[in-house]
Amino acid sequence: MTKQTTLQKRALVTKQSIIEAGLLILSEEGAVNFTTNKIAERAGVSIGSLYQYFSNKESMLNLILLKRYEEDMKFLYNEITIMEALTGSEFLNKLADLIWHRLLSSREACKTLFIAPQNLKDQLELIESRKVITTMIAEKLKVFYPDVENQSLSLKSTLITESFLGIMQTITYSDELYEMNHVMLIDYKKMIQALFSK
């Protein structure tokens, strides 16, 4: 192994540790407490080293938000792929539980979902990843509701994901609603079940 290869590997490890430290701080303390000093300390690097990989705090936050979003979408994609259900109603309930508990596991982490990326390319990536999940839900629902037209299934799947995100955004910024999130989950389940009631 050459000296250059060793340095490149070390640089990748350092950058990854900075990203992971940033993710932890964002999840535990929120964007308000997301500071370069805290991240450097958590990652075990100097501030100077941190700025070798990121030009400013905003570029770091942007990358970390994307990373967090990608991890959530990947988790949901994998879980929905293997999800088994006997009926459409059972699938919808399992789906609601899955996304609810994954994204609401940390209130501060959930808030990060609603911080918009700073550049258009990253915004489009987020929209695209949501489309992938929505399409996947529509494909799963087709098994249980074969008589529903594809266009209608696509619309219903979009309503399932977008209404969920709207509810999440409301819950995470309201102490009162956050305390009632289990009640809101029940209401959300009723709402998405109603989309398929005749």
Side-chain angles (χ1 to χ4, degrees):
M1 187 182 295
T2 66
K3 185 177 179 182
Q4 186 176 2
T5 307
T6 306
L7 289 173
Q8 286 172 337
K9 282 190 173 180
R10 191 178 303 152
L12 284 172
V13 169
T14 302
K15 186 173 183 180
Q16 189 57 36
S17 69
I18 293 168
I19 291 169
E20 286 170 9
L23 273 167
L24 283 171
I25 288 167
L26 211 52
S27 297
E28 294 168 5
E29 302 182 44
V32 175
N33 296 304
F34 185 86
T35 66
T36 51
N37 285 333
K38 281 190 175 184
I39 294 163
E41 184 181 339
R42 190 82 169 248
V45 300
S46 67
I47 288 287
S49 292
L50 188 144
Y51 281 113
Q52 286 179 340
Y53 300 97
F54 299 96
S55 56
N56 53 45
K57 186 176 93 168
E58 288 69 32
S59 67
M60 188 188 319
L61 179 61
N62 207 48
L63 179 69
I64 288 169
L65 288 174
L66 282 172
K67 183 93 172 154
R68 156 83 188 173
Y69 198 87
E70 283 169 11
E71 285 178 3
D72 283 335
M73 292 303 108
K74 187 176 179 182
F75 172 84
L76 292 177
Y77 184 90
N78 290 338
E79 290 298 311
I80 294 169
T81 300
I82 61 170
M83 190 181 286
E84 293 181 5
L86 297 174
T87 65
S89 179
E90 184 186 357
F91 171 75
L92 289 169
N93 278 331
K94 284 185 171 184
L95 178 68
D97 285 331
L98 172 71
I99 56 181
W100 201 271
H101 296 300
R102 168 66 181 191
L103 300 184
L104 207 60
S105 59
S106 161
R107 188 176 182 185
E108 291 303 331
C110 193
K111 284 179 183 176
T112 65
L113 290 173
F114 308 108
I115 301 172
Q118 295 184 335
N119 62 60
L120 182 60
K121 179 180 171 285
D122 291 339
Q123 288 177 22
L124 292 173
E125 274 185 37
L126 295 189
I127 292 167
E128 198 53 42
S129 65
R130 276 173 30 194
K131 280 185 187 173
V132 169
I133 296 294
T134 301
T135 302
M136 185 181 204
I137 291 170
E139 288 169 2
K140 282 279 196 177
L141 288 169
K142 188 69 179 169
V143 174
F144 301 109
Y145 304 101
D147 298 334
V148 178
E149 293 178 7
N150 287 342
Q151 189 174 2
S152 179
L153 273 178
S154 180
L155 178 61
K156 289 174 193 286
S157 299
T158 301
L159 285 170
I160 288 168
T161 52
E162 296 304 317
S163 61
F164 168 78
L165 288 170
I167 293 167
M168 284 290 105
Q169 188 167 12
T170 305
I171 287 174
T172 53
Y173 288 98
S174 165
D175 292 336
E176 186 180 347
L177 291 177
Y178 188 79
E179 292 302 317
M180 297 172 50
N181 78 77
H182 58 286
V183 176
M184 295 189 78
L185 172 58
I186 293 167
D187 289 341
Y188 174 70
K189 285 181 177 180
K190 287 178 185 173
M191 183 193 77
I192 63 176
Q193 295 284 356
L195 291 171
F196 295 91
S197 60
K198 299 198 176 179

